mmCIF file of all heavy atoms in Angstrom:
data_model
loop_
_atom_site.group_PDB
_atom_site.id
_atom_site.type_symbol
_atom_site.label_atom_id
_atom_site.label_comp_id
_atom_site.label_asym_id
_atom_site.label_seq_id
_atom_site.Cartn_x
_atom_site.Cartn_y
_atom_site.Cartn_z
ATOM 1 N N LYS W 411 4.349 -0.451 -22.006
ATOM 2 C CA LYS W 411 3.597 0.677 -22.551
ATOM 3 C C LYS W 411 2.854 1.436 -21.475
ATOM 4 O O LYS W 411 2.840 2.665 -21.451
ATOM 5 C CB LYS W 411 2.585 0.142 -23.594
ATOM 6 C CG LYS W 411 3.204 -0.232 -24.911
ATOM 7 C CD LYS W 411 2.160 -0.785 -25.857
ATOM 8 C CE LYS W 411 2.704 -0.898 -27.263
ATOM 9 N NZ LYS W 411 1.788 -1.643 -28.156
ATOM 10 N N GLU W 412 2.211 0.685 -20.569
ATOM 11 C CA GLU W 412 1.421 1.344 -19.519
ATOM 12 C C GLU W 412 2.310 2.154 -18.577
ATOM 13 O O GLU W 412 1.923 3.224 -18.127
ATOM 14 C CB GLU W 412 0.584 0.319 -18.746
ATOM 15 C CG GLU W 412 -0.574 -0.269 -19.549
ATOM 16 C CD GLU W 412 -1.527 0.778 -20.125
ATOM 17 O OE1 GLU W 412 -1.885 1.717 -19.376
ATOM 18 O OE2 GLU W 412 -1.869 0.695 -21.335
ATOM 19 N N VAL W 413 3.477 1.607 -18.258
ATOM 20 C CA VAL W 413 4.389 2.307 -17.348
ATOM 21 C C VAL W 413 4.856 3.614 -18.029
ATOM 22 O O VAL W 413 4.854 4.674 -17.398
ATOM 23 C CB VAL W 413 5.586 1.420 -16.933
ATOM 24 C CG1 VAL W 413 6.660 2.232 -16.254
ATOM 25 C CG2 VAL W 413 5.117 0.280 -16.034
ATOM 26 N N ILE W 414 5.199 3.551 -19.299
ATOM 27 C CA ILE W 414 5.665 4.769 -19.976
ATOM 28 C C ILE W 414 4.530 5.789 -20.054
ATOM 29 O O ILE W 414 4.731 6.990 -19.850
ATOM 30 C CB ILE W 414 6.222 4.436 -21.386
ATOM 31 C CG1 ILE W 414 7.501 3.576 -21.207
ATOM 32 C CG2 ILE W 414 6.528 5.694 -22.175
ATOM 33 C CD1 ILE W 414 8.139 3.122 -22.521
ATOM 34 N N LYS W 415 3.306 5.299 -20.333
ATOM 35 C CA LYS W 415 2.169 6.245 -20.394
ATOM 36 C C LYS W 415 1.979 6.959 -19.053
ATOM 37 O O LYS W 415 1.701 8.158 -19.018
ATOM 38 C CB LYS W 415 0.864 5.456 -20.732
ATOM 39 C CG LYS W 415 0.639 5.249 -22.202
ATOM 40 C CD LYS W 415 -0.768 4.707 -22.402
ATOM 41 C CE LYS W 415 -0.756 3.655 -23.483
ATOM 42 N NZ LYS W 415 -1.934 2.790 -23.461
ATOM 43 N N ASP W 416 2.097 6.197 -17.974
ATOM 44 C CA ASP W 416 1.926 6.764 -16.650
ATOM 45 C C ASP W 416 2.957 7.888 -16.412
ATOM 46 O O ASP W 416 2.641 8.947 -15.890
ATOM 47 C CB ASP W 416 2.076 5.680 -15.581
ATOM 48 C CG ASP W 416 1.964 6.243 -14.158
ATOM 49 O OD1 ASP W 416 2.985 6.834 -13.685
ATOM 50 O OD2 ASP W 416 0.888 6.141 -13.568
ATOM 51 N N VAL W 417 4.187 7.618 -16.804
ATOM 52 C CA VAL W 417 5.255 8.588 -16.572
ATOM 53 C C VAL W 417 5.026 9.838 -17.433
ATOM 54 O O VAL W 417 5.168 10.965 -16.970
ATOM 55 C CB VAL W 417 6.642 7.972 -16.872
ATOM 56 C CG1 VAL W 417 7.728 9.000 -16.753
ATOM 57 C CG2 VAL W 417 6.914 6.815 -15.912
ATOM 58 N N LEU W 418 4.594 9.635 -18.678
ATOM 59 C CA LEU W 418 4.314 10.790 -19.543
ATOM 60 C C LEU W 418 3.222 11.661 -18.931
ATOM 61 O O LEU W 418 3.256 12.886 -19.022
ATOM 62 C CB LEU W 418 3.861 10.310 -20.939
ATOM 63 C CG LEU W 418 4.957 9.970 -21.921
ATOM 64 C CD1 LEU W 418 4.407 9.266 -23.145
ATOM 65 C CD2 LEU W 418 5.722 11.236 -22.352
ATOM 66 N N GLU W 419 2.298 10.994 -18.284
ATOM 67 C CA GLU W 419 1.162 11.742 -17.710
ATOM 68 C C GLU W 419 1.563 12.465 -16.427
ATOM 69 O O GLU W 419 1.094 13.574 -16.193
ATOM 70 C CB GLU W 419 0.034 10.742 -17.407
ATOM 71 C CG GLU W 419 -1.276 11.409 -17.084
ATOM 72 C CD GLU W 419 -2.341 10.379 -16.744
ATOM 73 O OE1 GLU W 419 -2.293 9.258 -17.297
ATOM 74 O OE2 GLU W 419 -3.214 10.716 -15.919
ATOM 75 N N HIS W 420 2.450 11.851 -15.614
ATOM 76 C CA HIS W 420 2.712 12.401 -14.286
ATOM 77 C C HIS W 420 4.032 13.125 -14.122
ATOM 78 O O HIS W 420 4.287 13.704 -13.069
ATOM 79 C CB HIS W 420 2.570 11.314 -13.232
ATOM 80 C CG HIS W 420 1.155 10.859 -13.069
ATOM 81 N ND1 HIS W 420 0.663 9.742 -13.722
ATOM 82 C CD2 HIS W 420 0.126 11.378 -12.367
ATOM 83 C CE1 HIS W 420 -0.604 9.596 -13.407
ATOM 84 N NE2 HIS W 420 -0.963 10.569 -12.594
ATOM 85 N N CYS W 421 4.894 13.069 -15.108
ATOM 86 C CA CYS W 421 6.236 13.714 -14.948
ATOM 87 C C CYS W 421 6.459 14.695 -16.051
ATOM 88 O O CYS W 421 7.584 14.830 -16.579
ATOM 89 C CB CYS W 421 7.319 12.678 -14.974
ATOM 90 S SG CYS W 421 7.234 11.487 -13.644
ATOM 91 N N GLU W 422 5.411 15.428 -16.454
ATOM 92 C CA GLU W 422 5.507 16.253 -17.633
ATOM 93 C C GLU W 422 6.676 17.256 -17.600
ATOM 94 O O GLU W 422 7.472 17.308 -18.530
ATOM 95 C CB GLU W 422 4.176 17.009 -17.804
ATOM 96 C CG GLU W 422 3.952 17.440 -19.246
ATOM 97 C CD GLU W 422 2.695 18.270 -19.387
ATOM 98 O OE1 GLU W 422 1.955 18.456 -18.380
ATOM 99 O OE2 GLU W 422 2.445 18.746 -20.491
#
Side-chain angles (χ1 to χ4, degrees):
K411 284 178 168 171
E412 290 304 315
V413 168
I414 295 178
K415 275 190 218 162
D416 178 281
V417 175
L418 276 169
E419 193 183 329
H420 291 96
C421 298
E422 205 185 355

